[in-house]
Amino acid sequence: MNQNQCLAFLARHHPIRVALPLLLNVFGPGDGYGVYQAIEGAVMQYQAGNVVPQLLENLGSPAREIIYWNVQLAANFSTERLIASLTILVRSANEDLLAASLIAVRQIKSPRVLALLESLSCFHLRMRFEPLSRITSTIRDRIKFPDRP
């Protein structure tokens, strides 16, 4: 069954409210052998008004793979409704989620995105330099008080 046949089957047998949750929750570990990318093509056939509510729900999933692939899809449905969820994910310690979330948020045309990106650059600079600051402080303390443990 090719992608067009799959979409036609879903349209005939599964209404949108059933098909979208199935498509957007199918992700698991690994790359899906190309199936995940085909799902993206299938989901792109739906209107944003149908997809975005399911994306919002899935961005809070406990399964990291579902979050990751839904963030990837969110980049194609840029709407301000996704900003709050993506704001949480761009602070992720997981580099893949962080990168995918940044890509998705950058697709949204909104002044709120600019403010978010500015706050993130400060956040990431702090995260990068705070440990350095602590090391520098420790070195200064050791120089001032060499006999301290």
Side-chain angles (χ1 to χ4, degrees), residues 2-49:
N2 67 29
Q3 184 175 343
N4 290 334
Q5 292 168 326
C6 178
L7 288 171
F9 175 84
L10 286 172
R12 282 193 314 274
H13 300 288
H14 296 286
I16 290 173
R17 63 181 160 64
V18 174
L20 273 173
L22 291 174
L23 289 171
L24 294 174
N25 283 292
V26 73
F27 307 107
D31 64 7
Y33 301 104
V35 172
Y36 298 164
Q37 291 77 8
I39 288 171
E40 181 176 10
V43 170
M44 292 298 297
Q45 305 303 311
Y46 291 100
Q47 293 178 0

Side-chain angles (χ1 to χ4, degrees), residues 51-72:
V51 177
V52 171
Q54 188 64 48
L55 288 174
L56 287 168
E57 183 176 328
N58 288 359
L59 292 177
S61 171
R64 193 186 71 186
E65 294 84 5
I66 290 174
I67 295 171
Y68 174 76
W69 285 98
N70 278 260
V71 167
Q72 294 272 75

Side-chain angles (χ1 to χ4, degrees), residues 107-148:
Q107 303 307 310
I108 301 169
K109 307 293 186 245
S110 168
R112 290 173 54 201
V113 169
L114 181 59
L116 169 63
L117 293 173
E118 286 173 353
S119 74
L120 281 175
S121 66
C122 293
F123 172 77
H124 287 290
L125 283 172
R126 269 196 321 273
M127 295 306 288
R128 186 172 291 171
F129 290 111
E130 277 181 7
L132 183 60
S133 173
R134 276 187 249 128
I135 291 169
T136 306
S137 235
T138 303
I139 291 170
R140 281 187 194 134
D141 287 348
R142 299 270 179 181
I143 291 170
K144 290 178 188 173
F145 307 101
D147 53 345
R148 262 191 182 172

Side-chain angles (χ1 to χ4, degrees), residues 78-90:
S78 56
T79 174
E80 285 195 11
R81 292 176 58 198
L82 293 167
I83 293 175
S85 295
L86 292 172
T87 297
I88 294 166
L89 295 170
V90 294

